[in-house]
Amino acid sequence: MSTSMLIAVIAIAAVVVIALMVGLWMAARHRRLQKKFGPEHERTIETEGGRKAAERELRAREERHDELEIKELPPERRDRYAVDWTSVQERFVDRPEGSVKEADELVSRLMRERGYPTDDYDGQLRDLSVEHGRTLEHYRAAHDVKVRSTSHETTTEELRGAMVHYRALFDDLLTDQRSR
């Protein structure tokens, strides 16, 4: 085998190895995002119009989230939130619409105290999706009912469902305490 032939074979092999490595890296990155964001990964693919655009959006969310100062709550604050939630839940029987509104406010207050910006609902969804993607659909469903309840367009059963949905995110935010 001539030297030029050997160089050509080595160059082709190097290109194939590099292509394989890039493919494996991209597949691993895709799996990591899929695992981390859960159902939000598929939802973002649909809304962004494709996997590449969605994963670019999800990585941007991660970068933004890294800039936030998400903090752990001390045990006494977590206990206080748990008591507050119980109070909201107890008032549901007499004031279902008011309790749903209070549940939304309590979740927002908890988010704010943990370090999440709460100025804009879409921003909340983006920021929460990074660590709470598996309970985000609960938040969407609860928020939708809360918005409709302001014009009295909801049934008591829908309001009860909203409380269950708010509780899922509330519990996730309250128990997702890890050192940073």
Side-chain angles (χ1 to χ4, degrees):
M1 186 181 284
S2 71
T3 304
S4 59
M5 180 71 93
L6 184 60
I7 291 173
V9 167
I10 290 172
I12 291 171
V15 168
V16 168
V17 167
I18 290 170
L20 278 171
M21 296 299 288
V22 168
L24 290 172
W25 177 76
M26 289 176 71
R29 185 173 66 176
H30 170 74
R31 280 190 307 277
R32 183 189 67 78
L33 288 171
Q34 196 172 32
K35 182 178 179 182
K36 181 174 190 172
F37 285 90
E40 186 66 12
H41 182 267
E42 292 305 313
R43 178 184 252 285
T44 307
I45 288 173
E46 288 175 24
T47 59
E48 293 294 320
R51 195 174 99 185
K52 272 183 150 179
E55 292 186 354
R56 191 171 31 256
E57 166 64 20
L58 294 174
R59 286 190 308 277
R61 290 181 192 186
E62 286 178 317
E63 289 172 12
R64 174 176 159 71
H65 187 273
D66 288 345
E67 294 172 6
L68 299 175
E69 293 184 32
I70 306 300
K71 55 191 166 275
E72 183 176 327
L73 297 179
E76 63 274 1
R77 289 301 299 148
R78 289 195 306 264
D79 292 345
R80 180 73 242 165
Y81 275 106
V83 167
D84 290 349
W85 179 266
T86 300
S87 296
V88 169
Q89 224 170 325
E90 289 171 352
R91 288 190 290 276
F92 181 82
V93 173
D94 295 325
R95 299 180 43 239
E97 287 179 347
S99 293
V100 167
K101 183 176 186 276
E102 287 179 51
D104 181 73
E105 291 167 356
L106 185 59
V107 166
S108 291
R109 197 168 70 229
L110 175 56
M111 288 171 54
R112 194 171 24 263
E113 189 168 342
R114 291 279 318 272
Y116 288 98
T118 57
D119 302 332
D120 141 56
Y121 174 69
D122 290 330
Q124 288 175 344
L125 292 175
R126 281 189 304 275
D127 294 337
L128 286 170
S129 71
V130 177
E131 290 186 4
H132 304 281
R134 300 201 184 285
T135 54
L136 207 52
E137 218 33 62
H138 288 285
Y139 188 42
R140 281 189 178 96
H143 182 77
D144 176 60
V145 171
K146 187 208 81 148
V147 168
R148 289 187 300 114
S149 76
T150 59
S151 57
H152 310 293
E153 299 175 6
T154 54
T155 66
T156 303
E157 186 59 27
E158 288 174 312
L159 294 167
R160 187 200 63 75
M163 291 296 289
V164 171
H165 290 306
Y166 275 125
R167 179 65 188 250
L169 178 60
F170 179 82
D171 285 345
D172 198 26
L173 283 165
L174 200 58
T175 60
D176 178 39
Q177 306 288 311
R178 65 197 187 324
S179 57
R180 294 191 173 267

